[in-house]
Amino acid sequence: MKNIIIFGAPGSGKGTYSAEIAERYGMGHISTGDVLRAEIKNETELGKIAKGYIDQGQLIPDELMIDILAKTYDAQPQGSGVIFDGFPRTIAQAEALKQMLAQRGHELGMMIELIVSEEVLMARLLRRAQIEGRADDNEETIRKRFAVYHSQTEPLSKWFAAEGIRHTFDWSICKTKEGMLEAIFQEIERQNK
Ligand code: ATP
Ligand code: MG
């Protein structure tokens, strides 16, 4: 399977769809948010650094993040394709990912972009806050994460388009999780023909 990059704003469903895709096609799944939260839980040095940024709704610095990503990727079983969930989030990270994969004889594969309105995103994240209790899922930090997304991450959408691998799925058109998944699965299968 081709590698997949899942791209979208906080709360757009990257983790949810990644899990469904990984399960269906037997692919690996790297969620950088989950990697960082595990480091925080285990109170590692990296966790302490990451917590400072995450709690402020800011991104972890690129150099650190690229290093973590390469280590996580190399620890994955190879050959069945990997889903990148939450990485890259900046142009520098995207360039680094492309280079890292090329050095290993691998490719970016395809990018799946999830489009969801900010109103829906906020409602979802506030609901998730009650269920999962993530420290960064409060209204003030969510607003900061949206701002960071718009300024640092969203411009990457065009970068992927220029690579010729962007595939966009719009919640307001698909309307349900099942509808989104069906459209995404179809595109993945078309790309892997
Ligand atoms: P969701 O998972 O619901 O789409 P999200 O994108 O905000 O929401 P995560 O991907 O779990 O959540 O990321 C949580 C936090 O971890 C980010 O706000 C950021 O501080 C940090 N983080 C995760 N991935 C990266 C990355 N690639 N570069 C820099 N920081 C990151
Ligand atoms: Mg996530």
Side-chain angles (χ1 to χ4, degrees), residues 14-16 31 33-34 37 85-86 128 134:
K14 298 185 294 287
T16 306
S31 159
D34 287 350
R37 281 185 288 277
D85 160 11
R128 185 172 77 183
R134 255 173 65 172

Side-chain angles (χ1 to χ4, degrees), residues 3-23:
N3 289 324
I4 296 176
I5 293 133
I6 295 263
F7 185 86
S12 56
K14 298 185 294 287
T16 306
Y17 296 117
S18 294
E20 298 272 359
I21 298 166
E23 158 97 12

Side-chain angles (χ1 to χ4, degrees), residues 48-113:
K48 281 176 208 155
I49 297 169
K51 187 171 166 37
Y53 292 98
I54 293 179
D55 288 353
Q56 294 303 312
Q58 302 296 324
L59 297 182
I60 277 70
D62 284 335
E63 267 178 53
L64 185 57
M65 208 57 234
I66 288 163
D67 194 44
I68 296 167
L69 194 274
K71 288 197 181 104
T72 310
Y73 184 75
D74 288 333
Q76 287 275 319
Q78 304 281 313
S80 46
V82 167
I83 304 164
F84 297 97
D85 160 11
F87 189 99
R89 267 175 149 90
T90 63
I91 304 266
Q93 290 182 14
E95 301 279 6
L97 177 63
K98 188 179 171 182
Q99 197 192 349
M100 182 204 84
L101 291 169
Q103 280 164 355
R104 290 159 177 73
H106 304 167
E107 287 181 345
L108 285 171
M110 61 186 292
M111 179 269 222
I112 292 174
E113 178 175 47

